Amino acid sequence: MKIRPITFLPVIILLGIGIAFAFGLRNDPSKIESTLINKPMPDFVLERVLDDQPALTPADLLGQVSLVNVFGSWCAACVQEHPMLMRLANHEGVAIYGIDSRDTAEAGAAWLEKYGNPYRKVGLDAQSRLAIDLGVTGAPETFLIDKQGRIRFKVIGPITEQIWKQQLKPMMDLLEAES
Amino acid sequence: MTAEIGNFTLILAFLLAIVQSLAPMIGAKQSNMRLMLLADYTAIGQLIFVGISFFALTVTFIYSDFSVELVVLNSHSLKPLLYKISGVWGNHEGSILLWVLILCLYGAAVPMFGQALPVRLKALSLGVQGMIATGFLGFILFTSNPFARLAIPPADGSGLNPLLQDPGLAFHPPFLYLGYVGFSMAFSFSVAALIDGKIDALWARWLRPWVLSAWAFLTIGISLGSLWAYYELGWGGWWFWDPVENASLLPWLAGTALLHCTLVVERRHALVNWTILLGILTFSLSLIGTFLVRSGVLTSVHAFATDPERGIYILLMLLLASGGALTLYALRSSSLRIGNGFDLLSKEAGLTVNNILLVCATAVVFLGTFYPLLIDLLGDDKITVGPPYFNLYFGVIFGILIIFMGVGPLLKWRVDNWKNLSRPISFLIGGSLLIILGFLLFGKSALGGIGLALAFWLFAGTLFGFGRKIRLGSQSLSDSWRLVKRMPAGTYGFLLAHIGVAITVVGVTTMGVWSQETILMMRANQQATLGGYSIELTDVREKNGANYSAETALFSLSKQGKILGTVSSERRYYPVRGMQTTEAGIYVRPTHNLYLAIGEGDKSKGWAVRIYFHPFVSWIWIGSLFMAFGGFIALADRRLRLPKLETKSIFETTIKIAGSAK
């Protein structure tokens, strides 16, 4: 019986995919890429999303501990995360800023109107330039920014009650105490 | 107590699954009839035990047993019954249990409907089915036990996201899983054929109805998901190329290819190797899809990492199942008898092209979905993949596919000649060019023209194909009519499904090219116009629901002075979760929808109102319903029935097997 080498191709491809998945697993999503941690937010210029509010600028992120949340009107998981953000903004007094990624201003505004707006300011990142600079690979993703505007932590995927209580809140309290 | 019963039967099912993965394999090796037949009983036993377990979990949800952790996390005593039940599979643990229940359903169908199958083939497939079940039952028991108890039960559950309380979303997962898991049949019979070293028409005839039903269920599941996205998530969007959506599309695309391949194997005994490979691939994609969605949060590839333990288990299972099957394929596929040849111009060749295109489409979606992961690995290449990528590449491939779909059914098996085709094809080309030209001149959209021309091409080509089958024109009308009545169900399945695709293409195209929207501030009794409609905001009322307060806006619609009715749109505020939702008002017509949503505002300055005109958008889902119906109707095809088995032949097979062992 002759075995044709070509028939091994599918299993080799599968192994490749398996290796990729394994690396994906090994990546701890709660850890930001070391290149960005403690670095200042990359500089950015964003367009406005809401008609009655100027776009988010780098200066907005200085002088306070804040969260920068990357979202999009196309993102189902963002809807899932949204009540959490609303609660943090309205009841816990957290400063949250939004980056509307890979979206249009109309769709983003409509989305915020529909579900409510937890963001102090929002900016449109239509070509996902900033998202790329930030190493964002999907939405939602949330960055914890300290008073000097440096990135200190990153959450990939929706912020859950657990992530908030066990990770974000304690860290924010610590950063709040920094001068 | 109920939870303990559920847990116990789950363990019993796990043990049975282990027996089932070993006994028939050993039986087949030693030609031991008893061991091989044992699998029939374990398959049915597994269904019973997993069924009891699933029922027990449902009971704990219905009675809100808050000593069970899963119920606490995902339910609430005040939740409506429907959502208490759908809450069972609205979470990771429960959904995997549903997955396994459906797997056992398909597994038990083998002894129940497949008594005419060769004993060895049946035993080997059940063995493979048993291995999959072992993997998943183990996954539930060791990493995601739905019956875990809490030491201190709380007074009530932790509520739930109101967005997820929706009938569309409640029934979406069961259909999706009936589809996903149905392809396990193709997988296990492909692997069994590889072990056995032979494949015949009976194999394809048995497999085809299972592939058909899995495909039809998956079609329904995907459409439900997309419909939900339209009225709940999307502002006119109905497909977002979200990883979760792509995960369901991948096995659908591969399954569509498989569906057409089994046809070739059954009728012509060609493309045998390829069909087996597709059988393995389709289910592997189902597995990948299940993992993507069900490893905790449903975000992106990162979903894997949310629980490393589960992720690793899942990955190992995927590598063992698919890797094992593909290795077997590499080693054994060349030993299968090579099928019959065919001409370059034949139905087989047409279906081969269909397969190549569908596999390309699968690859495009797969690459796009996993690109972020790939980027992660390769370093910091700065390209992201979004809807534009998918729309372009998927659109082009699907366009070419439709061109072949229009003419493929006209072709004859084995060999055809151009003369037969020239007349219908010139008609199709002429008609399509006219449509493109017409829309360029009057609709001012080349893209719209091309899309509609493709829909016409497919629709007319399908009718030509049907006409050719009933010999319309080449014999008297009454003879053709007699043929219409005698046509096998499979032909009608083809007719419906292909016309369904044409209908969906119309919806997708017009929606993409000609939808309109407007946003304005409206006070009471103010009017707006869009798409020929006059929309008047008649009233905004305050309302208090059970757990929310709301503003309800009433709109009165009229066209040329004639009042057509009222539509209401609601803005709800849920204080407990600090969450706001909008219930859009949708005025549904056969050729278009009017989509109204009220935003922020008050009496003095008015309310922000969004009005969308969505032409032919319902056709997207009507078309997919046609496809699914086509699949189910084709199931009735008599040619797919296995030959009736008489008791005598069991003995004959037994003797044969016993004889061959010596």
Side-chain angles (χ1 to χ4, degrees), chain A residues 1-4 7-11 14-25 27-29 33 73-77 79-84 86-87 90-91 102 106-107 109-117 127-128 132-133 135-141 156-158 160, chain B residues 161 163-164 231-235 240 242 273 277 288 297-300 302 304-305 308 311-312 315 318-319 322-323 326-327 329-335 366 370 372-373 376-377 382-387 517 519 571 573 575 577-582 595 598-600 608 610 612:
Chain A
M1 186 176 68
K2 214 173 123 239
I3 296 171
R4 286 170 303 159
T7 54
F8 278 95
L9 193 62
V11 73
L14 178 86
L15 275 180
I17 294 170
I19 291 169
F21 282 0
F23 272 101
L25 274 178
N27 282 352
D28 186 348
E33 282 124 64
S73 66
W74 44 268
C75 152
V79 177
Q80 210 183 25
E81 181 191 43
H82 200 261
M84 188 69 194
M86 291 296 280
R87 209 199 80 200
N90 295 334
H91 297 288
R102 223 197 274 162
E106 291 78 36
W111 194 85
L112 289 173
E113 201 174 88
K114 181 171 185 185
Y115 297 114
N117 182 359
Q127 304 301 320
S128 37
I132 289 167
D133 288 340
V136 170
T137 45
E141 269 186 30
I156 295 179
T160 59
Chain B
N161 190 335
L163 269 185
L164 303 179
Y231 68 70
E232 195 65 53
L233 281 186
W235 294 86
F240 298 88
D242 181 277
N273 276 343
L277 181 60
I288 291 177
V297 260
L298 35 109
T299 27
S300 54
H302 303 294
F304 269 106
I312 289 166
L315 186 61
L318 175 71
L319 285 178
S322 307
L326 289 176
T327 311
Y329 176 81
L331 296 173
R332 298 295 297 262
S333 65
S334 42
S335 71
F366 190 91
F370 290 98
L373 187 64
D376 250 16
L377 279 184
K382 300 194 172 183
I383 305 163
T384 55
V385 167
E517 60 175 274
I519 311 148
R571 224 166 105 80
Y573 178 67
R577 304 197 127 231
M579 182 169 173
Q580 212 166 254
T581 66
T582 303
Y595 191 110
I598 181 187
E600 265 166 70
R610 284 166 188 275
Y612 296 78

Side-chain angles (χ1 to χ4, degrees), chain B residues 15 88 111 201 238 368 387 400 418 457 541 602 662:
Chain B
L15 296 175
V88 174
W238 53 275
I400 301 172
W418 285 109
W457 173 284
R541 291 178 196 155
D602 55 49
K662 272 163 202 164

Side-chain angles (χ1 to χ4, degrees), chain B residues 406-487:
Chain B
V407 292
L410 295 171
L411 294 166
K412 287 201 188 98
W413 291 108
R414 231 156 66 76
V415 61
D416 206 334
N417 66 63
W418 285 109
K419 262 194 209 140
N420 289 335
L421 296 170
S422 56
R423 261 183 50 202
I425 288 190
S426 35
F427 174 81
L428 290 177
I429 292 179
S432 304
L433 286 180
L434 269 182
I435 291 178
I436 295 179
L437 202 67
F439 278 99
L440 259 181
L441 291 178
F442 302 109
K444 297 195 173 51
S445 167
L447 194 66
I450 292 172
L452 291 181
L454 282 172
F456 160 78
W457 173 284
L458 177 55
F459 182 71
T462 306
L463 288 188
F464 271 126
F466 186 70
R468 186 155 285 196
K469 278 188 205 283
I470 57 168
R471 309 222 181 97
L472 196 68
S474 60
Q475 60 178 26
S476 74
L477 274 179
S478 60
D479 282 346
S480 285
W481 177 242
R482 218 165 292 138
L483 272 175
V484 167
K485 287 188 284 190
R486 281 225 318 271
M487 271 292 126

